[in-house]
Amino acid sequence: MTSTRIRTRVIAAIALGAVVLTGTGMARAQEVTLTVHHFLSAKAVNHARFIVPWARRIEAASGGRIAFEIYPSMTLGGAPPELYQQARDGVADIVWTVLGYTPGVFPRAEVFNLPSVHGGSAVVTNLAIQDLMTDQLAEDFQDIHPLLVHVHSGQALHTVDTEVRTIDDMRGLKLRVPSRSGTWMIEAMGADPVAMPASDLPQALSRGVLDGAFIPFEVALPLKVVDIAAAHTELADGRRFGTTTFLLAMNKDRYESLPDDLRAIIDAESGEALARSAGEAWDTFEPEVMAFATARGNAMIQVSAEDTQAFLETFQVVEDRWVEDATAHGLPAAALLAAAKAAVARHQQAEPDR
């Protein structure tokens, strides 16, 4: 199958969900309309396979009493780093954003950004995060109502000209990073980190501002990074360069103002159940985009087991740096890291096929 046909099928599949929901056709009168704001396009997997199905389930469960208006691509205004504040201040009822866009606001949840913590699949790591939400991570989310804290399937390295097969190939590359710990990882690899929202990637890569970026394949498709990049790199056994931690959050006052029965419907579609379905959306979509990149003729590189060890050593450098920094800021960093790793290991055993 040609790359054009693969792209057409993939885009067509996700475009089925690329709509604004209004709650029409439901049995009971609409009582509440909730706005949802995020920074990726309506063709992105988070919109079409995660947010839209989630909203539809809530609309159906409420019998039409809850309706959603979903605004992708920052169409309510502002920049991606402002999304958390928009939810906190009520500019939008619900937002989907990257925790790393607001450094220092989520110091505990940052542990799941560490490249040494990611469990190899979004489902595994999402469920591990849920294990820590009530106790170890709760203080990070006092100003909003968290519906889900989750990750994607892990970051591959997408490069425009350079084929990265060893850590020496990283030297001097200008690479986009979505988080503070990602900056540390890139520095430890001898490359130059450049912070920017994912939405700015296509132009930055096309103009040579960046040599590459750490993002999952599912983000690389709607942003056309798969078209711009010539090579895509994973570590041995498909291991990725860590992950990014995301937040689906609701304005606290808006949530608490809802009738008890409507809050219960939203609660039932939050937390662990949503963690699994969101993770499955990411884990299922990733191979589809990899197949498209392969059909397009891009270089699909998996670093050898021997050369992977050099990358893993940089992961340890990042981990040690995070523990030292977080401890200096009064967090029980070593205990938090141990709890995160233990939770990931527990779910890896429970989800052996992931």
Side-chain angles (χ1 to χ4, degrees):
M1 183 179 295
T2 67
S3 63
T4 300
R5 290 179 64 191
I6 293 174
R7 174 186 283 280
T8 300
R9 287 179 59 181
V10 172
I11 293 296
I14 61 177
L16 291 175
V19 297
V20 174
L21 308 183
T22 60
T24 58
M26 298 296 184
R28 298 179 62 180
Q30 174 186 325
E31 296 178 14
V32 175
T33 299
L34 300 175
T35 58
V36 183
H37 199 202
H38 67 83
F39 62 92
L40 289 180
S41 78
K43 294 180 179 180
V45 68
N46 80 293
H47 180 96
R49 296 195 183 189
F50 167 42
I51 294 176
V52 168
W54 168 78
R56 283 176 169 159
R57 291 194 300 269
I58 292 174
E59 287 185 334
S62 72
R65 295 168 63 200
I66 298 176
F68 288 88
E69 294 177 354
I70 304 177
Y71 296 89
S73 303
M74 299 305 300
T75 46
L76 285 182
E82 298 171 9
L83 282 165
Y84 166 70
Q85 289 90 340
Q86 290 184 356
R88 184 194 63 195
D89 300 340
V91 175
D93 296 317
I94 297 168
V95 303
W96 180 82
T97 188
V98 175
L99 297 191
Y101 285 172
T102 48
V105 176
F106 308 102
R108 296 160 186 82
E110 188 179 39
V111 69
F112 283 98
N113 280 347
L114 298 178
S116 56
V117 173
H118 186 48
S121 87
V123 170
V124 164
T125 308
N126 286 356
L127 294 175
I129 292 171
Q130 294 309 303
D131 289 353
L132 274 62
M133 281 297 294
T134 301
D135 296 322
Q136 291 96 328
L137 305 182
E139 195 170 338
D140 281 0
F141 305 100
Q142 291 183 342
D143 293 336
I144 46 89
H145 178 74
L147 300 167
L148 182 66
V149 179
H150 72 98
V151 300
H152 53 50
S153 298
Q155 297 170 158
L157 174 60
H158 311 267
T159 46
V160 177
D161 298 314
T162 304
E163 293 191 1
V164 174
R165 299 179 183 276
T166 72
I167 199 164
D168 288 338
D169 295 330
M170 300 283 291
R171 309 297 180 194
L173 295 181
K174 300 185 296 295
L175 303 173
R176 179 262 181 179
V177 61
S179 66
R180 184 176 72 139
S181 59
T183 295
W184 297 346
M185 179 183 71
I186 290 174
E187 290 173 344
M189 293 175 180
D192 298 324
V194 181
M196 68 174 60
S199 54
D200 293 345
L201 273 177
Q203 186 177 58
L205 290 168
S206 297
R207 292 186 173 184
V209 175
L210 294 175
D211 297 304
F214 286 105
I215 54 173
F217 279 92
E218 54 87 8
V219 174
L221 182 72
L223 292 180
K224 300 187 181 300
V225 171
V226 176
D227 297 319
I228 301 167
H232 314 276
T233 301
E234 299 178 295
L235 300 178
D237 300 321
R239 185 165 182 167
R240 297 290 178 85
F241 298 87
T243 189
T244 298
T245 309
F246 301 91
L247 171 66
L248 182 69
M250 187 169 182
N251 176 267
K252 200 168 189 176
D253 291 340
R254 184 68 161 138
Y255 171 79
E256 293 175 352
S257 72
L258 296 177
D260 291 347
D261 60 336
L262 294 187
R263 282 206 308 272
I265 290 171
I266 291 176
D267 291 346
E269 291 292 343
S270 304
E272 184 174 344
L274 186 56
R276 180 175 290 279
S277 64
E280 289 172 348
W282 263 260
D283 289 342
T284 300
F285 193 59
E286 199 78 351
E288 296 178 31
V289 185
M290 294 174 72
F292 167 72
T294 300
R296 193 177 176 279
N298 294 7
M300 303 295 290
I301 299 166
Q302 191 166 102
V303 176
S304 70
E306 180 180 0
D307 288 320
T308 291
Q309 289 304 310
F311 288 98
L312 297 183
E313 289 172 8
T314 68
F315 291 3
Q316 186 62 51
V317 169
V318 173
E319 180 179 304
D320 293 343
R321 184 173 176 179
W322 183 83
V323 169
E324 181 180 359
D325 180 81
T327 300
H329 285 83
L331 297 182
L336 182 56
L337 177 61
K341 286 186 171 183
V344 167
R346 189 163 56 247
H347 287 288
Q348 284 174 325
Q349 292 178 351
E351 307 278 342
D353 295 331
R354 297 194 181 276

